[in-house]
Amino acid sequence: MSDVLVSDDPLYEALYDVRNEAKSMGNLIEGDPYPAIAALREQGPVHEGGLRERLGLPPHFRHVIAEGRRAYSVLGWEACEAAFRNPACFSSAIVHHPNPGNEKTMGILEMDGAEHRAYRRTLQPIFIRPQAYGWWRQRFIDDILGTLIDRLRGRDRAELNLDLCARLPVHTITRAMGLTGDEALTFRDAFHKSGGLRSIPPEVQREAAETVRRMLNELILNRHADPQDDLITRLITSELRLPDGTVRTLDAAEALHTARLVMIAGGGTTWRQLGIALWALLTHPEALEAVKADRKLLEPAVDEATRWNTTAPLFCRLVTQDTEFYGVRIPEGAVLDISIGSANRDPARWGDPDAFDIFRQPRPHLGFGIGEHRCLGIDVAKSEMVAAMGALLDAFPNLRLDPEAPPPFVTGGLEQRGMSALPVLLQ
């Protein structure tokens, strides 16, 4: 295992600070947005105006083509589910980044319908539950997690956001893809700098984007020449069956864009959600004691934490035709803000929805999405989180928040949420 996994590399702190990430993106919000969102939801499930506008927040456009368009907000469970299940009217094309060749650089994220299903099928087999709790656990997760837990043994304190939550997902996905441990932070840093952040000079962004392309292209070429039992080999050798009947493998550009998407998704959202799930347990003693006594409750705890405080609470869609949606006329070309964070706390679906309760009757929520764009890596993410929480409780049965540290809190933007920090006592 590479030394970077257990090192005190300052890049961890630079890349895995939720609050600073939101500041650099320009979408940081202060405090808990859910009371204001709940008050708005009580007025109706769909509203004219984007969610930031309706909450009185400064504008922020997550997607380039959203700027200048009329916007609408969807807040109720039923309406949010209906929007996700109607991609013909509410399209993922909003995710598209305009470029000279009009390539779909965001891969399946910007596709709908038959096209989306065709490309998703090339990836789906390696992310299904038996693989997540088999191949992923046996080849990557358990080994990485064991090293991280060993690093903490003998300590009295830890900051789990950096010491565990940040490290496990990024090293899992980079090793699974075929990159070495030393390349994990290099890739993550380059992607972060290439993402159009206001604080990064344009020339640095261009150089970082080239680093991302170079690293992935070299990996793809190497695996064409020397296939391995890894994710990139499976990706470039999988059969793609297009809607017109064409059968082929991904071309060079498609392989690059898909690999980039998998790397970023696999190393990002799980980090934030794992921190939230741990914080939820550590601030709810009855739930913590319950999972200590019965580890089968860990997965329900992860599910409930994802419903209660999902790391990705807001998604956008492009309206493709004039429509009336829950009594509101929405014109073609508008942007739909779908607040899954609000839907997951709709009292019409859940009793006491603002409470974290691992014993509530299980019901599908939107924390991992729903419909054709449901999170591809849901089972791998759950596998990582369940394994991490179980390993922590096995190694440190007295695990608790550090009372001498500033109390941690959920922070970030409307689009991405995570923990400010997670300081704990281990012994």
Side-chain angles (χ1 to χ4, degrees):
M1 183 65 62
S2 171
D3 287 342
V4 73
L5 176 63
V6 294
S7 75
D8 293 322
D9 194 312
L11 273 178
Y12 283 113
E13 188 169 356
L15 295 173
Y16 295 95
D17 184 316
V18 178
R19 187 174 179 81
N20 282 342
E21 178 188 51
K23 278 185 178 180
S24 66
M25 292 175 66
N27 70 342
L28 176 68
I29 58 174
E30 301 289 355
D32 180 1
Y34 284 111
I37 292 174
L40 190 60
R41 186 182 56 232
E42 288 177 3
Q43 300 172 28
V46 180
H47 296 262
E48 183 171 1
L51 187 54
R52 292 186 69 90
E53 176 187 349
R54 294 308 305 257
L55 296 177
L57 298 170
H60 170 78
F61 300 99
R62 181 180 186 182
H63 306 297
V64 175
I65 62 177
E67 189 168 1
R69 297 175 182 264
R70 293 179 67 178
Y72 295 78
S73 300
V74 187
L75 305 176
W77 160 266
E78 183 180 289
C80 286
E81 183 189 28
F84 277 125
R85 292 195 183 278
N86 188 4
C89 186
F90 306 119
S91 171
S92 297
I94 190 72
V95 178
H96 180 68
H97 286 197
N99 60 86
N102 204 36
E103 291 182 76
K104 292 187 174 177
T105 58
M106 298 302 292
I108 60 174
L109 289 186
E110 60 183 280
M111 299 177 185
D112 293 309
E115 180 187 36
H116 173 270
R117 290 191 292 274
Y119 281 88
R120 186 179 175 111
R121 278 195 297 266
T122 65
L123 287 168
Q124 190 72 65
I126 193 57
F127 289 99
I128 61 176
R129 188 177 180 88
Q131 293 282 351
Y133 285 82
W135 187 77
W136 286 86
R137 281 287 301 266
Q138 294 161 13
R139 284 185 56 80
F140 309 111
I141 296 172
D142 289 346
D143 186 23
I144 293 168
L145 189 53
T147 302
L148 292 175
I149 294 296
D150 285 345
R151 177 177 180 264
L152 298 178
R153 295 186 192 277
R155 294 190 186 184
D156 293 324
R157 287 178 161 83
E159 205 287 84
L160 292 182
N161 180 57
L162 297 181
D163 287 329
L164 178 70
C165 301
R167 295 171 192 251
L168 175 61
V170 70
H171 287 282
T172 295
I173 194 62
T174 48
R175 287 190 65 196
M177 189 62 79
L179 294 175
T180 66
D182 287 328
E183 293 169 312
L185 292 186
T186 301
F187 182 90
R188 190 80 193 177
D189 183 44
F191 175 78
H192 178 75
K193 291 175 178 174
S194 70
L197 301 178
R198 296 182 301 180
S199 58
I200 305 295
E203 62 275 13
V204 175
Q205 293 187 37
R206 289 192 293 270
E207 182 180 349
E210 181 54 37
T211 297
V212 170
R213 285 192 293 271
R214 175 184 54 78
M215 292 180 71
L216 291 178
N217 277 329
E218 287 178 357
L219 180 59
I220 291 168
L221 289 173
N222 287 340
R223 289 302 183 265
H224 274 301
D226 182 21
Q228 303 287 325
D229 184 17
D230 58 23
L231 194 55
I232 195 68
T233 300
R234 297 187 184 205
L235 173 64
I236 63 178
T237 58
S238 293
E239 191 176 73
L240 171 64
R241 292 180 172 270
L242 294 170
D244 64 3
T246 301
V247 180
R248 60 174 176 83
T249 56
L250 297 178
D251 64 29
E254 291 167 339
L256 173 66
H257 300 324
T258 305
R260 176 180 174 273
L261 174 62
V262 170
M263 287 278 285
I264 299 313
T269 53
T270 307
W271 146 55
R272 299 189 197 94
Q273 196 66 62
L274 175 55
I276 290 171
L278 284 168
W279 176 66
L281 287 180
L282 293 172
T283 52
H284 293 80
E286 289 185 5
L288 180 60
E289 291 306 312
V291 298
K292 284 181 180 180
D294 182 1
R295 298 305 166 81
K296 291 180 182 178
L297 291 173
L298 280 173
E299 188 164 346
V302 166
D303 269 323
E304 171 65 358
T306 307
R307 179 206 66 82
W308 175 64
N309 256 305
T310 183
T311 184
L314 184 67
F315 286 83
C316 300
R317 292 293 184 262
L318 184 65
V319 182
T320 62
Q321 60 195 53
D322 292 347
T323 188
E324 182 170 317
F325 192 60
Y326 286 80
V328 177
R329 295 293 303 173
I330 303 178
E332 177 183 348
V335 173
L336 205 65
D337 281 354
I338 306 175
S339 177
I340 67 173
S342 174
N344 282 346
R345 294 191 179 204
D346 189 341
R349 184 168 178 81
W350 285 280
D352 197 12
D354 294 325
F356 172 75
D357 179 7
I358 67 173
F359 301 106
R360 69 170 70 245
Q361 186 67 30
R363 303 191 73 180
H365 58 75
L366 299 182
F368 292 103
I370 205 164
E372 68 176 30
H373 279 278
R374 183 172 180 263
C375 174
L376 181 70
I378 176 176
D379 288 313
V380 174
K382 284 185 177 182
S383 179
E384 289 182 72
M385 288 189 276
V386 168
M389 295 162 74
L392 274 173
L393 294 178
D394 286 343
F396 309 108
N398 293 321
L399 182 73
R400 60 203 185 278
L401 289 176
D402 186 345
E404 296 182 10
F409 56 92
V410 178
T411 185
L414 283 181
E415 297 82 0
Q416 78 289 345
R417 310 285 289 165
M419 297 310 304
S420 58
L422 205 57
V424 297
L425 298 180
L426 298 172
Q427 308 301 333

